[in-house]
Amino acid sequence: MRILIHDFGGYGFPLQLSETLAKRGHKVRHAYCATLTTTPSTVNTASSTVDLLPLSTASALTKYKLLKRWQQEQEYGKLVAKACRQFSPQAVISGNTPLSAQARLLAVCRKRRIPFVFWLQDLLGLAAYRILGQKQWLLGVSIGTYFRLLESRLLCQSDSVICISDDFVPIVTRMGVSPSKISVIENWGVLPEDAGPSHDWAATHGLDGLPLLLYTGTLSMKHNPNLLLCLAHALQGRARIAVVSQGMGADWLRQQNSKFGLTNLIVLPYQQPQQLRAMYAAADILLAVLTEDAGQFSVPSKVLTYLCAGRPILAAMPLNNLAARIIRSEAVGLVVSPDDPQGWVAAGESLLADSNLRMTMGTAAHAYATRNFSIDKITSRFESILKRIVS
């Protein structure tokens, strides 16, 4: 089968899916955006089994200037639609994709009668409605309503919808999507092979000598970087807080770091894929944050990568979020409300004070990943959906 897998963000786990499908004899082209600056790209450009297709807009995509971002998403949509026409796949899976670009890709598939799978990673329309409505009520609600309706239309027009959480199913159903089209496949974590010992990575960045609390990934509107700042203030002299990120949230932390003269808060750019395993191994505690409003429409995939790393997790996120439920039910870390900075700091201090608890949680995290992240089983589920919609 000729399969186009499009992952706008360039994440590691969709590429692993593409590689496994290719090993099973499918002709797979894996397309992704190569001009993002705020999303970590872990695509390995030396993949031996998959035809990789980086798609580049004329300039790096901006994230916080809404009009320019919308224009760039339109430009990107034309690129991915053209890539689909040139490859002529028998099926398309597309996720992590701005709705404007997703609409152009889906339109090509419908015109050419190519079965289309909407891999629903985030409820972007719902997020736009809530976030923009809070910023500029009348204009924000209008724009948010447009994207909610667009998302509903795209989901209904898709041949299959893969939700990453059961929490999305009732929302998607209310949008009018037939339950027979909906499947739930939770995301999974994956780490590249190690390129060196963890102490080398820590020493290279001046992070050795004290316990290390590590945050990796996007710091966008659905995150609260102030929680990381609070933790650095509270643990000054006792632990280091390393934030590996780029974009507005990372820039804000750098500004606050200069303002307060914190010596234990280090903000680093995204690391190369071959450094990631050593980076995670250097950490004593891994950090995750998600605002209360974002809990319904987003599941932080970084938590799944953290589980693979076998380290305890300290999270500030809605307690009913899928990631929070995993952390609590599997006893792999501590979760507090994102609106409780004092509880967040107290939880961090309790983990730092108990090395045995950290070891127990880290072991449980790795065991969970081993049980649940079998790429062969996951690929079989995707493959069965593709065979059904193509037949």
Side-chain angles (χ1 to χ4, degrees), residues 16 19 38 42 52 55 63 67 69 74 155 167 228 278:
Q16 188 185 42
E19 290 176 330
T38 57
T42 53
L52 290 173
L55 300 172
K63 191 162 188 176
L67 178 58
R69 178 63 184 247
Q74 293 286 334
L155 288 165
D167 298 339
L228 302 173

Side-chain angles (χ1 to χ4, degrees), residues 25-181:
H26 301 286
K27 175 63 176 177
V28 181
R29 181 163 292 180
H30 187 95
Y32 63 96
C33 181
T35 43
L36 284 173
T37 57
T38 57
T39 300
S41 178
T42 53
V43 173
N44 182 354
T45 54
S47 176
S48 59
T49 58
V50 174
D51 182 9
L52 290 173
L53 182 62
L55 300 172
S56 300
T57 50
S59 59
L61 271 79
T62 182
K63 191 162 188 176
Y64 303 105
K65 296 179 181 178
L66 295 181
L67 178 58
K68 184 176 180 181
R69 178 63 184 247
W70 181 80
Q71 293 170 334
Q72 290 180 313
E73 289 172 0
Q74 293 286 334
E75 176 191 357
Y76 183 82
K78 294 177 182 178
L79 292 174
V80 71
K82 179 180 179 181
C84 182
R85 288 192 298 268
Q86 291 177 337
F87 184 53
S88 296
Q90 293 172 275
V92 171
I93 300 175
S94 182
N96 288 312
T97 307
L99 295 174
S100 300
Q102 189 86 320
R104 289 184 177 272
L105 178 57
L106 177 55
V108 169
C109 290
R110 285 174 61 82
K111 183 177 181 180
R112 298 195 170 203
R113 297 183 179 179
I114 301 170
F116 184 88
V117 179
F118 196 128
W119 193 359
L120 188 61
Q121 298 284 333
D122 294 284
L123 290 159
L124 297 176
L126 179 60
Y129 181 82
R130 291 190 174 181
I131 293 173
L132 296 177
Q134 293 172 357
K135 291 181 174 294
Q136 295 180 346
W137 187 83
L138 184 58
L139 179 61
V141 167
S142 299
I143 297 173
T145 299
Y146 165 78
F147 281 112
R148 283 187 70 180
L149 293 173
L150 175 60
E151 186 169 52
S152 297
R153 176 172 65 82
L154 298 178
L155 288 165
C156 289
Q157 290 178 347
S158 300
D159 297 278
S160 178
V161 176
I162 296 178
C163 299
I164 66 167
S165 169
D166 286 315
D167 298 339
F168 290 1
V169 174
I171 301 172
V172 170
T173 303
R174 287 196 296 270
M175 290 179 179
V177 180
S178 170
S180 63
K181 288 185 178 182

Side-chain angles (χ1 to χ4, degrees), residues 294-310:
Q296 187 178 11
F297 56 76
S298 179
V299 179
S301 59
K302 65 171 60 66
V303 170
L304 306 176
T305 305
Y306 288 177
L307 292 167
C308 294

Side-chain angles (χ1 to χ4, degrees), residues 275-294:
Q275 298 174 315
L276 297 185
R277 188 176 289 272
M279 176 185 74
Y280 288 121
D284 296 278
I285 301 170
L286 297 170
L287 306 173
V289 295
L290 186 69
T291 62
E292 190 69 42
D293 285 346

Side-chain angles (χ1 to χ4, degrees), residues 346-363:
E349 290 180 328
S350 68
L351 279 177
L352 275 177
D354 194 336
S355 59
N356 288 332
L357 179 61
R358 294 199 306 273
M359 182 177 298
T360 300
M361 288 179 166
T363 301

